[in-house]
């Protein structure tokens, strides 16, 4: 066997081993964490970084919350830059600050350097969405936020453990600034425990193959990913492609916040420039550079073959530019609390709209325009609870070439698991009364978006709900001639007054016991002109209750008839109707 073949095999073995370690970390967090956000919804990501040359490189990552995909990279970079001259075996690091590699301050990142000899060589890490982060509002989403401190507790790079010893003063400071201490302490222990378990696995790997061989294998795997990504980019026509999209508002009365992306393809290099985006906003939708870069890379990665390993090689061919002082790279102290939904959704959407101009068959609608409504209250024993009402965010995935929109979560959240209703009703004083697809509530296209839903959640005890709407006026866009998604809507009904239809925002609305939150969560945008959809697929959607016969005719140009109790396509009338349109 040749030396090159041996090196290739070793790179696959080492890469596969580290992938497995990241997945084992993910399983450990799920099984040991306390909060439903972790153990039910799986709103976290685990990864492993190389630090053999004194700078961090992403090596492996388990499937998790996709919007964390590259945001974790910036956080690890900041932690290692801060402590690179003060690292010791047993150190465990933490950061959540959006201006130190974070996204919004609800996402916390933990890193545990693994040493070989006297040098840190590999870095297991966990990035997680926490149930609360202090600040004025339970749950951390504060639509009245005017600066970063209104978003919640800022944690700059610090050490939770030093030389293996727990820093009790730091822990107590963090726990003392959190409403959900009973969750937070267990969740931090789960993240730390996963990193310690990974450290043991990494030690075994280094002992078996030796540090030089492991690092060489990592180098080769990163080069392999970069080669594959460059091959993909090289298949797109050279040129400059620009697209714009808008967030409805910034929750402070300013509307139509623009995100503009200029994508330049030059050989195997890709540049994404956000020049022309709106100035930083007064409200909490500003996206720090790490969050902007993450959403840009999420968009690019969805356009590439899913068999390509996720690691540093994905980033090497891509350059991201975002002018300082804009909504995609704000100056301190601009608030950032909602950035992972808004304007994160628009960042990914603008990039995909631009790429669809040169590679339409690779670009799908990465919808994430969430109608966010979360509730809080107290249990009978006085402990507070925060419910993110995950069921209301499902839906919104767009169509792509040769596939309809699929699943319940939009693609940037595909690693998040929809909690079981039974467990949710055990953990919260709530009931999920309805969670159903709605006909004609998605973007039509040759490949339609995922169906939209109607969701009803009832809280059995007095509670408070805040609503942050998106995708009402500026809905999720279709691609390649596909139709845009319809509008989202949330209705608050406390059963005592007139129901409140929320089109922009509602803050800390008191809900009496039995009050109901109704989500009308739109489906995703379509791909390709609806008249190009196979009439038999339209008929199947009508039979399944996803499209009505009238919409089949008006949106898709397909005439559905009933004959002997069965639905069928009238081919003659369909051809006649479609022939009247010059768009296929």
């Amino acid at each position: 066997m040749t030396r090159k073949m041996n090196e290739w095999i070793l790179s696959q073995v080492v890469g596969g081993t580290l992938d497995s370690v990241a997945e084992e970390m993910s399983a450990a967090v799920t099984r040991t964490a306390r909060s439903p956000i972790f153990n039910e919804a799986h709103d976290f990501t685990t990864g492993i970084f190389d630090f053999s040359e004194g700078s961090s490189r992403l090596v492996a990552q388990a499937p998790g919350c996709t919007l964390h995909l590259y945001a974790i990279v910036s956080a690890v970079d900041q932690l290692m830059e801060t402590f690179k001259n003060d690292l010791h075996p047993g150190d465990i690091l933490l950061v959540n600050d959006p201006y130190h590699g974070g996204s919004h301050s609800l996402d916390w990142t933990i890193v545990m350097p693994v040493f070989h000899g006297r040098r840190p060589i590999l870095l297991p890490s966990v990035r997680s969405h926490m149930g609360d982060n202090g600040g004025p509002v339970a749950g951390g989403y504060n639509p009245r936020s005017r600066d970063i401190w209104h978003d919640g507790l800022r944690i700059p790079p610090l050490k939770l453990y030093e030389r293996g010893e727990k820093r009790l003063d730091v822990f107590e400071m963090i726990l003392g600034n959190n409403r959900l201490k009973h969750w937070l302490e267990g969740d931090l222990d789960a993240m730390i425990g996963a990193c310690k378990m990974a450290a043991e696995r990494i030690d075994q790997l280094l002992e078996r193959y030796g540090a030089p061989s492991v690092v060489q294998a990592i180098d080769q795997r990163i080069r392999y990913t970069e080669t594959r990504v460059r091959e993909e980019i090289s298949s797109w026509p050279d040129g400059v492609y620009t697209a714009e999209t808008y967030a409805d508002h910034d929750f402070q009365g300013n509307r139509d916040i623009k995100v503009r992306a200029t994508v330049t393809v030059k050989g195997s290099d890709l540049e994404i420039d956000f020049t022309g985006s709106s100035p930083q906003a007064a409200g909490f939708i500003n996206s720090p550079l790490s969050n902007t870069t993450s959403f840009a890379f999420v968009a690019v990665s969805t356009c590439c073959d899913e068999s390509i390993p996720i690691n540093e090689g994905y980033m090497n061919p891509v350059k991201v530019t975002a002018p300082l002082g804009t909504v995609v790279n704000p100056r301190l102290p601009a608030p950032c609390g909602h950035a992972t939904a808004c304007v994160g959704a628009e960042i990914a959407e603008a990039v995909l709209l631009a790429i669809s101009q040169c590679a339409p068959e690779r670009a799908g609608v990465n919808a994430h325009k969430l109608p966010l409504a979360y509730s809080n209250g107290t249990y009978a024993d006085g402990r507070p609870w925060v419910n993110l009402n995950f069921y209301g965010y499902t839906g919104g995935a767009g169509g792509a070439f040769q596939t309809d929109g699929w699943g319940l979560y939009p693609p940037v959240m595909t690693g998040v698991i929809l909690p079981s209703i039974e467990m949710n009703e055990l953990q919260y004083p709530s009931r999920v009364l309805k969670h159903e697809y709605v006909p004609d509530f998605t973007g039509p296209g040759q490949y339609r978006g995922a169906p939209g839903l109607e969701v009803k959640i009832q809280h059995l005890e007095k509670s408070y709900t805040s609503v942050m709407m998106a995708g009402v006026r500026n809905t999720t866009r279709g691609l390649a001639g596909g139709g845009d998604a319809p509008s989202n809507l949330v209705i608050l009904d406390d059963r005592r007054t007139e129901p409140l239809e929320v089109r922009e925002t509602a803050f800390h609305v008191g809900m009496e016991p039995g009050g109901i939150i109704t989500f009308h969560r739109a489906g995703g945008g379509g791909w390709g002109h609806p008249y190009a959809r196979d009439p038999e697929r339209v008929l199947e959607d009508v039979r399944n209750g996803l499209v009505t016969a009238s919409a089949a005719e008006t949106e898709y140009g397909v005439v559905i008839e009933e004959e002997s109790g069965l639905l069928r396509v009238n081919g003659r009338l369909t051809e006649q109707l479609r022939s009247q349109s010059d768009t296929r």
Side-chain angles (χ1 to χ4, degrees):
M1 192 176 293
T2 66
R3 178 181 174 184
K4 279 194 172 182
M5 181 61 71
N6 283 331
E7 290 175 352
W8 168 252
I9 292 172
L10 183 61
S11 75
Q12 294 298 97
V13 170
V14 169
T17 299
L18 293 174
D19 286 341
S20 296
V21 173
E23 291 172 9
E24 191 175 358
M25 291 173 66
S26 181
V29 173
T30 302
R31 292 170 181 167
T32 59
R34 289 184 191 167
S35 74
I37 296 172
F38 282 57
N39 57 39
E40 282 288 308
H42 200 263
D43 194 353
F44 64 87
T45 298
T46 59
I48 298 173
F49 291 76
D50 167 63
F51 198 67
S52 58
E53 300 300 322
S55 60
S56 59
R57 298 186 300 170
L58 179 64
V59 173
Q61 193 171 69
C65 186
T66 317
L67 59 85
H68 293 162
L69 188 66
Y70 289 104
I72 191 174
V73 174
S74 299
V76 172
D77 286 345
Q78 286 285 322
L79 285 167
M80 300 311 292
E81 178 63 26
T82 300
F83 293 108
K84 64 183 179 182
N85 297 318
D86 184 25
L87 285 174
H88 310 279
D91 286 355
I92 297 177
L93 318 176
L94 169 69
V95 68
N96 85 334
D97 185 4
Y99 291 96
H100 283 90
S103 45
H104 65 168
S105 54
L106 283 164
D107 287 341
W108 296 19
T109 301
I110 279 181
V111 174
M112 179 179 181
V114 177
F115 280 70
H116 181 75
R118 296 185 177 182
R119 295 191 303 124
I121 186 168
L122 288 167
L123 316 169
S125 177
V126 184
R127 185 184 186 91
S128 305
H129 179 108
M130 313 307 283
D132 186 66
N133 67 326
V137 176
Y141 289 100
N142 180 10
R144 293 183 175 178
S145 179
R146 298 304 296 265
D147 61 40
I148 191 65
W149 298 281
H150 288 161
D151 287 346
L153 178 67
R154 289 178 67 196
I155 304 175
L158 55 76
K159 291 185 179 183
L160 282 177
Y161 279 73
E162 190 161 17
R163 300 177 189 263
E165 293 295 325
K166 187 175 185 178
R167 297 187 61 189
L168 293 176
D169 54 344
V170 173
F171 263 85
E172 289 304 317
M173 183 276 294
I174 291 172
L175 295 177
N177 280 278
N178 200 284
R179 296 172 179 83
L180 303 176
K181 175 181 178 179
H182 52 291
W183 283 359
L184 178 61
E185 191 168 15
D187 291 345
L188 284 174
D189 285 345
M191 297 166 72
I192 291 166
C195 289
K196 289 182 176 180
M197 179 274 298
E200 293 178 3
R201 303 291 186 269
I202 290 168
D203 284 339
Q204 294 167 4
L205 182 70
L206 295 172
E207 183 178 349
R208 181 169 185 178
Y209 295 107
S213 295
V214 169
V215 172
Q216 184 180 25
I218 289 171
D219 289 341
Q220 183 157 346
R221 190 168 174 83
I222 290 173
R223 287 196 301 271
Y224 170 75
T225 289
E226 181 174 348
T227 298
R228 292 281 306 277
V229 174
R230 287 191 179 278
E231 286 174 351
E232 179 67 54
I233 295 170
S234 296
S235 70
W236 305 344
D238 282 1
V240 180
Y241 310 95
T242 300
E244 295 178 354
T245 189
Y246 294 84
D248 282 354
H249 55 95
D250 70 346
F251 305 94
Q252 299 290 340
N254 304 299
R255 295 177 173 83
D256 297 329
I257 311 300
K258 180 170 66 175
V259 174
R260 177 184 175 92
T262 299
V263 173
T264 302
V265 180
K266 187 175 182 180
S268 66
D269 291 317
L270 190 72
E271 181 175 351
I272 303 171
D273 187 350
F274 290 100
T275 298
S277 298
S278 290
Q280 65 189 57
F284 72 151
I285 69 170
N286 298 287
S287 174
L289 184 59
S290 52
N291 188 69
T292 296
T293 302
S294 185
F295 272 94
F297 278 118
V298 166
V300 172
S301 65
T302 63
C303 297
C304 298
D305 194 305
E306 64 182 12
S307 68
I308 301 174
I310 299 292
N311 60 45
E312 193 80 14
Y314 247 112
M315 293 175 273
N316 293 340
V318 184
K319 177 184 177 183
V320 176
T321 302
L324 186 62
T326 63
V327 72
V328 292
N329 187 11
R331 299 178 188 271
L332 184 71
C336 307
H338 202 30
T340 54
C342 177
V343 295
E346 286 70 29
I347 291 165
E349 186 173 64
V351 173
L352 286 166
L353 285 167
I355 292 176
S356 72
Q357 298 170 30
C358 63
E361 294 184 0
R362 303 302 284 173
V365 183
N366 204 342
H368 189 49
K369 297 199 175 187
L370 297 178
L372 183 65
Y374 70 94
S375 304
N376 68 281
T378 56
Y379 296 108
D381 62 4
R383 288 180 302 129
W385 56 263
V386 175
N387 190 346
L388 290 181
N389 297 318
F390 277 102
Y391 305 98
Y393 313 146
T394 53
F401 178 62
Q402 294 188 335
T403 182
D404 293 334
W406 67 94
L408 282 174
Y409 277 128
V412 293
M413 290 182 67
T414 46
V416 177
I417 299 170
L418 188 64
S420 73
I421 290 175
E422 292 79 8
M423 283 302 298
N424 185 84
E425 293 178 350
L426 283 173
Q427 293 164 328
Y428 297 107
S430 70
R431 296 289 181 268
V432 179
L433 305 180
K434 188 175 185 179
H435 190 255
E436 297 179 4
Y437 285 135
V438 176
D440 304 335
F441 199 38
T442 192
Q446 181 179 0
Y447 303 100
R448 58 159 174 76
L453 299 101
E454 182 180 9
V455 180
K456 291 182 178 291
I457 299 174
Q458 182 181 54
H459 289 291
L460 306 181
E461 303 292 341
K462 183 174 178 61
S463 61
Y464 296 88
T465 295
S466 291
V467 183
M468 286 139 281
M469 294 301 297
V472 177
R473 291 181 298 104
N474 297 288
T475 64
T476 301
R477 302 274 293 278
L479 293 178
D484 295 344
S487 295
N488 294 316
L489 173 65
V490 169
I491 301 171
L492 301 181
D493 183 2
D494 70 0
R495 314 299 293 275
R496 297 191 180 194
T497 59
E498 279 295 308
L500 173 64
E501 292 191 2
V502 185
R503 298 288 180 172
E504 288 198 357
T505 187
F507 182 74
H508 204 56
V509 177
M511 300 281 283
E512 294 300 319
I516 295 174
I517 309 167
T518 300
F519 295 81
H520 294 276
R521 173 64 163 113
W527 189 100
H529 195 277
Y531 276 27
R533 187 167 179 81
D534 183 344
E536 291 300 318
R537 298 190 72 172
V538 177
L539 175 61
E540 183 181 5
D541 284 344
V542 173
R543 287 172 172 165
N544 288 332
L546 302 179
V547 175
T548 61
S550 60
E553 185 170 336
T554 57
E555 297 284 356
Y556 293 94
V558 175
V559 179
I560 306 292
E561 295 180 330
E562 185 175 345
E563 184 177 287
S564 301
L566 298 175
L567 297 175
R568 69 175 188 86
V569 174
N570 185 316
R572 180 182 62 81
L573 291 180
T574 294
E575 180 61 31
Q576 180 180 334
L577 182 59
R578 286 185 164 187
S579 67
Q580 297 171 5
S581 172
D582 58 3
T583 304
R584 290 292 183 115

